[in-house]
Amino acid sequence: MVKYVIGGGNRLHGEVTVSGAKNAAVAILPAALLADGPCVIENVPQITDVTVMLDIISELGGKVRLLNRSTVEIDPRGVRNLRPSYETMRRMRASYYALGVLLGRFGSAVVGMPGGCDIGVRAIDQHIKGFCALGAEVEVNGGYIHADTSDGRLHGAQVYFDQPTVGATINVMLAAVLTEGMTVIENAAKEPHVVDLANFLNTMGADVRGAGTDVIKIRGVERLSGCNYSIIPDQIEAGTFIAAAAATGSEITLRGVIPKHLECITAKFSELGAEFRDDPNDPDAIVVCGPQKIKRINVKTLPYPGFPTDMQSQITTVLCLAEGASMVTETIFDNRFRYVDELKRMGAKIQVDGKVAVVEGVERLTGAPVRACDLRAGAAMIVAGLCADGVTEIEGVSHIERGYENFVEKLRGLGADIKAVTLPDPEVLQEVG
Ligand code: EPU
């Protein structure tokens, strides 16, 4: 067991390079199994969600080779297994992309229900609706999703989502690229990782148009070939560093980012007083300068290009130190304020009523022992620890390591006082005792 120990109050300074995007990587890696030759994928973040996805790919029969710390080769030619193990599937949310890939390539699959962060009801009805529209018969039974086709393949169709969903948009894209005919996804998710997947599929020879808009059109092709591809930088990792700079009143430079993808985040942080500027020598960088005084603002999470739900806990943490009361409304997930009780241990004044949190600014947060109850909640605890007076100890950091590469090292590089401490295994202690 590991915990993070943070000595709060240090100003951050210097620069940090943002890693590849988690939510793009967990879609693009399994998508490589649709090709008929090896793909080399660069800018893959070293995080546990990626490790789990590579385990799923290996279980299916894909051959995974790490070429260097951020480059993976995937050879799909040995894929035979259409039933990944239940245990591996429930280790993460994005495991359900195995279903889209297997259905698209073989017309049949049996996969366990996905796991992932406990942030509210995470239905898969829109995924199932999409697969059924393409001609699959889908049944959820005994914890498994069984999907099959009568003639061994899917057929292009129109799919209309009830609401924009990243997971279902990606899953239907994966299922449809090798399908006969044209698939049209209406009310599609527009997140940068949806566009990144479309670009990857097109590099393999697919015909996907419109990604990044509400309507994605996919003309099925006979085959896809291996390719080289580099994953986009992680918008949310960059946003978390922005939150850290805002909370500590620091100036830092983020390198390796796509500034356009950050606009939905920088717009809100500008409102609370942070300043942003370009680096004239590096188009892939932005400089963030935290405010002297944090202004109160209202925030509402929305699908892209709205303010991302994955940044909600971090901006709420910054608003704990604002002058006046802010209102944060979560519209995507129904249980994404669980971290608030942890922030209260540090002196935050927040009232949650359903989807709305009212955050009354306080002079300071004070260090305390807290828990990371999910990935982004953990990121919020780190932001809180960095700006708090005294020492913050964060447990449950395995959640954080699912989605942030070398977070402790990167923050130390920016001058933060943070270290990972390995705790003795309680079971071993019990045996000894
Ligand atoms: N929804 C349904 N039915 C479905 C699918 C989704 O009702 O079949 C609902 C969800 O309950 C939610 C909304 O639609 O209310 C949006 O869910 P979406 O499908 O977009 O979320 P997801 O695919 O489960 C991905 C990211 C999340 C991120 C959300 C929203 C991955 C692996 N996960 O989840 O990332 O919060 O999109 O942007 O891409 C994270 O990185 O911390 C994280 C949770």
Side-chain angles (χ1 to χ4, degrees), residues 338-359:
R338 289 195 311 152
Y339 66 90
V340 162
D341 283 342
E342 302 300 305
L343 282 183
K344 283 184 181 171
R345 291 174 194 274
M346 302 177 72
K349 283 196 182 159
I350 307 176
Q351 289 298 326
V352 176
D353 186 3
K355 288 167 177 258
V356 179
V358 176
V359 187

Side-chain angles (χ1 to χ4, degrees), residues 8 30 48 50 56 61 80 88 94 130 135 146 162-163 175 193 253 258 284 303 316 347 360 368 407 412:
T48 37
V50 160
I56 293 173
R80 303 277 178 272
T88 321
H146 301 252
D162 295 349
Q163 67 189 97
H193 29 288
T253 301
I258 299 176
D284 302 330
T316 302
E360 199 185 312
F407 208 17
R412 285 171 72 89

Side-chain angles (χ1 to χ4, degrees), residues 28-41 56-65 72-82 101-102 105-106 178 200 204 223-227:
I28 286 172
L29 293 168
L33 298 181
L34 293 165
D36 57 14
C39 289
V40 173
I41 300 162
I56 293 173
I57 290 170
S58 301
E59 259 190 33
L60 296 176
K63 207 162 149 197
V64 174
R65 238 172 23 113
V72 178
E73 183 188 71
I74 296 178
D75 185 342
R77 287 173 292 191
V79 174
R80 303 277 178 272
N81 180 13
L82 308 188
V101 167
L102 292 173
R105 197 171 149 187
F106 300 103
L178 287 175
F200 173 63
M204 290 200 291
R223 54 178 287 267
L224 297 173
S225 42
C227 70

Side-chain angles (χ1 to χ4, degrees), residues 22-24 26 49 92-94 96-97 117 119 121-128 163-168 170 189 191 193 236 308-310 331-334 336 374-376 402:
K22 166 177 91 80
N23 290 343
V26 295
D49 270 9
M92 73 188 293
R93 182 72 188 163
Y96 52 32
Y97 294 148
C117 285
I119 50 179
V121 179
R122 299 187 78 178
I124 56 162
D125 59 308
Q126 300 299 303
H127 300 240
I128 294 176
Q163 67 189 97
T165 129
V166 170
I170 287 179
E191 271 69 2
H193 29 288
I236 305 300
T309 172
D310 293 346
T331 74
I332 309 292
F333 292 110
D334 52 18
R336 225 173 185 181
D374 61 59
L375 167 59
R376 306 305 171 187
R402 285 188 32 223

Side-chain angles (χ1 to χ4, degrees), residues 184-239:
V184 180
I185 304 176
E186 306 262 8
N187 204 13
K190 298 185 280 216
E191 271 69 2
H193 29 288
V194 172
V195 179
D196 206 31
L197 173 67
N199 289 339
F200 173 63
L201 293 169
N202 287 341
T203 309
M204 290 200 291
D207 185 353
V208 180
R209 293 170 201 210
T213 75
D214 298 321
V215 183
I216 301 179
K217 293 186 177 163
I218 306 159
R219 189 181 298 280
V221 294
E222 278 294 315
R223 54 178 287 267
L224 297 173
S225 42
C227 70
N228 285 21
Y229 193 79
S230 182
I231 290 173
I232 54 167
D234 198 299
Q235 180 201 26
I236 305 300
E237 184 196 341

